[in-house]
Amino acid sequence: MSIDFPYSVPLRVHQIGAGVGRTLEPDAAARARIAKALDLASLDAFVAELTVAPTPGGWRLSGRVKASLAQICGITLEPLPVEVDAAFAVSLAEQAEADADAGEILITLDDESPDPVEGGQIDLGQYAVEQLALMLDPFPRKPGAEFVQPPQPAEISPFAVLKQLRPSDEG
């Protein structure tokens, strides 16, 4: 199964050594793919400063994502400008062969286990986009925009409906 990510910058784990730093700045075409994948009105600027360093159990990916974008207001459907500037850190570890063959993944809400590194590489672009997605408001709303619930129709009694169907006794 192949998954197409909107932005991919693979880093082989044997290139990490004592640590490696990268600054990712996707071009306009990549930003358009990212905007489409994240359902954004636009992604005008996106920079991710990343550092991968070895740890006793694997690696630590840390960095900062900065972006200028526009989300769609969920009420007015107008573009809503958003600035993102956030730091993050993720623990990574190679997936053991026994774990890979188990076929069952156990996840708990307080799961602090590291993300698995598969195929001997870490996709820095994928992590940058993932961190940007985590910083977005899932329900963007322009300041002052309020949802007004339409009035509920009065509940009609089934007997009132039958009464309307009965022919009048006037004659």
Side-chain angles (χ1 to χ4, degrees):
M1 179 172 86
S2 173
I3 298 173
D4 291 330
F5 295 109
Y7 184 56
S8 181
V9 180
L11 173 68
R12 306 237 16 108
V13 294
H14 73 291
Q15 295 174 310
I16 297 172
V20 65
R22 297 274 168 89
T23 299
L24 307 182
E25 195 164 356
D27 61 13
R31 287 195 316 270
R33 289 191 308 272
I34 295 166
K36 183 178 178 184
L38 299 181
D39 200 22
L40 302 175
S42 67
L43 181 57
D44 302 319
F46 180 37
V47 177
E49 298 166 355
L50 308 171
T51 302
V52 182
T55 63
W59 300 272
R60 178 177 172 86
L61 171 62
S62 59
R64 177 172 231 84
V65 291
K66 298 177 186 178
S68 295
L69 55 99
Q71 287 187 279
I72 301 294
C73 174
I75 295 174
T76 65
L77 301 180
E78 298 173 9
L80 175 64
V82 177
E83 294 293 322
V84 173
D85 185 354
F88 70 93
V90 178
S91 295
L92 305 163
E94 287 207 74
Q95 189 172 10
E97 292 298 321
D99 293 344
D101 295 334
E104 185 175 321
I105 299 173
L106 179 63
I107 299 175
T108 60
L109 292 178
D110 59 344
D111 192 8
E112 292 295 323
S113 61
D115 284 4
V117 173
E118 297 174 356
Q121 66 183 20
I122 300 167
D123 193 334
L124 300 178
Q126 177 185 343
Y127 275 103
V129 172
E130 178 182 279
Q131 292 303 316
L132 175 62
L134 291 171
M135 301 303 157
L136 297 176
D137 184 349
F139 304 105
R141 181 183 296 191
K142 278 193 158 194
E146 289 186 35
F147 177 74
V148 178
Q149 178 73 29
Q152 294 289 336
E155 191 168 324
I156 301 173
S157 158
F159 297 109
V161 172
L162 291 174
K163 188 175 181 180
Q164 290 175 351
L165 296 175
R166 192 175 91 187
S168 65
D169 291 338
E170 296 174 15

